[in-house]
Amino acid sequence: MLDIVPTGDVFRLADARFGLAYWHWFFLAQPDDLPERMIGADPDAFYFQQRYQARDRFAREALDDYLRCARRPETIHAMCEDYRAGATIDRDHDEADRGRRRIDCPLLVLWGGRGKLPELYDDVLALWRGWADDVRGRALDCGHFLPEEAPGETLSALLDFFEAAP
């Protein structure tokens, strides 16, 4: 898991700090086609607003490709549908599974130490341990975009995890 906590926990624990830090969770989940039309009016402005703190750490080619995709109406719609599902059916499924079903495989959780998760959650690993028994992970020295901001450290953590697998 890269810079995320369980969806059900996100909504169960959401407060004003979360709403201000991750406002896009609520904006993108609005009914079709409100956010699509607003983003579609100026996709570059939306994308840069979302990623302003990290865009100088992206490879130029990667950022150009993200922008190319983010300008496509079908991509914008798909992004919104993902957040709509998170706010509805995904959250409902997490709540139905809470305390009843667990993740059986080992779980690696990495997050950006300079991102918002450490500000919002006292113990990221503890949240995941509510869902799985074998949880490992740590913060990396970056923000939200681990592979783009800390590619070597992200790769090293992934390789260590997979090499330790039985």
Side-chain angles (χ1 to χ4, degrees):
M1 301 295 150
L2 298 181
D3 209 58
I4 190 73
V5 298
T7 300
D9 291 323
V10 165
F11 287 102
R12 192 170 51 84
L13 300 171
D15 60 11
R17 288 181 314 139
F18 178 87
L20 292 172
Y22 285 103
W23 59 270
H24 64 279
W25 277 60
F26 302 102
F27 170 68
L28 294 171
Q30 294 304 306
D32 186 6
D33 71 340
L34 175 67
E36 285 91 340
R37 288 187 307 129
M38 294 175 77
I39 295 167
D42 192 349
D44 289 21
F46 175 77
Y47 195 85
F48 278 124
Q49 172 62 29
Q50 286 293 293
R51 282 122 180 104
Y52 70 93
Q53 73 277 26
R55 74 173 174 225
D56 60 335
R57 288 179 243 148
F58 280 55
R60 184 73 231 172
E61 302 81 29
L63 187 59
D64 288 345
D65 196 47
Y66 284 129
L67 289 171
R68 179 187 61 77
C69 293
R71 292 177 185 127
R72 298 175 59 207
E74 57 271 25
T75 301
I76 295 168
H77 180 70
M79 290 182 339
C80 294
E81 286 295 306
D82 180 44
Y83 283 87
R84 288 180 186 120
T88 57
I89 191 73
D90 293 349
R91 186 190 74 218
D92 293 346
H93 286 169
D94 273 9
E95 291 308 314
D97 288 346
R98 185 179 301 285
R100 296 184 39 229
R101 298 180 66 178
R102 299 191 56 77
I103 299 168
D104 291 330
C105 64
L107 188 62
L108 176 64
V109 180
L110 302 171
W111 64 94
R114 290 186 272 137
K116 296 293 184 185
L117 289 189
E119 296 174 24
L120 296 169
Y121 305 104
D122 293 330
D123 191 341
V124 173
L125 293 178
L127 286 172
W128 282 107
R129 287 187 179 117
W131 293 94
D133 294 322
D134 186 354
V135 178
R136 306 166 217 172
R138 62 187 172 87
L140 303 184
D141 184 27
C142 61
H144 176 65
F145 301 96
L146 283 66
E148 290 86 357
E149 296 179 52
E153 196 175 359
T154 302
L155 177 62
S156 178
L158 289 167
L159 291 174
D160 290 348
F161 177 76
F162 290 122
E163 287 172 1

